[in-house]
Amino acid sequence: RRLRPSVLVAHLSDLQQRPPRFKPDAFLEALYDAYKLRVQQDKGKAGLDRGDVVRLRDIYGVLTLLPGQTRVYTLQEFARDFYLLDQSGENATRDGLMMFPSGATGTRPRSGSLRVITQRGEEKVYYGISFSCAG
């Protein structure tokens, strides 16, 4: 009863204007760890091959293995975090490997892709990532 709508609107507007609390370097390292696990699982004992593309949905599956984790950290939140990482320009791991995002193309199904709406209101589609040496 005491809460004035103008105060609530001002508070919500202030919250929207704040930049998201996002640490791109920590998220990149988590992606890299999940990437290594997924590639090792796919290749068996052969190990990590440079440049192998792993679907982002598979990376998300590794990051949310614990029961109930997909309710706490949704696929859409993961897609948003990946977009924020992409926009940050942060793409080198502590090990010196570079992350290369892979969009959906004619050879990759759009149904397995992640879609986000950019700050400009455009759709951006991600499919997978790979890690390899910069040079």
Side-chain angles (χ1 to χ4, degrees):
R1 293 176 119 181
R2 294 181 185 174
L3 186 61
R4 295 177 155 245
S6 60
V7 173
L8 179 59
V9 168
H11 178 67
L12 292 175
S13 177
D14 180 49
L15 290 175
Q16 285 183 325
Q17 298 304 318
R18 291 181 189 174
R21 292 184 214 169
F22 179 72
K23 296 180 181 179
D25 54 336
F27 186 67
L28 178 64
E29 292 300 324
L31 286 177
Y32 180 54
D33 289 342
Y35 173 84
K36 289 187 295 187
L37 285 171
R38 188 63 196 183
V39 169
Q40 289 171 352
Q41 181 183 30
D42 288 348
K43 299 259 182 200
K45 302 272 186 210
L48 182 67
D49 287 342
R50 282 188 204 151
D52 283 346
V53 175
V54 174
R55 288 180 353 138
L56 285 169
R57 286 180 179 262
D58 295 338
I59 299 289
Y60 173 74
V62 171
L63 293 175
T64 57
L65 278 173
L66 290 173
Q69 197 61 27
T70 55
R71 285 189 304 259
V72 175
Y73 186 51
T74 66
L75 185 60
Q76 191 58 42
E77 289 172 320
F78 174 72
R80 178 213 51 214
D81 288 348
F82 191 79
Y83 170 74
L84 291 173
L85 174 65
D86 190 24
Q87 295 303 300
S88 76
E90 184 85 27
N91 63 356
T93 67
R94 282 182 251 155
D95 294 344
L97 295 176
M98 302 294 285
M99 179 195 72
F100 297 96
S102 171
T105 65
T107 59
R108 294 190 181 105
R110 287 179 59 93
S111 62
S113 301
L114 300 180
R115 292 174 179 76
V116 294
I117 303 300
T118 67
Q119 293 170 337
R120 295 185 191 146
E122 301 165 349
E123 180 183 59
K124 181 136 185 164
V125 180
Y126 296 107
Y127 176 76
I129 55 172
S130 63
F131 287 88
S132 62
C133 294

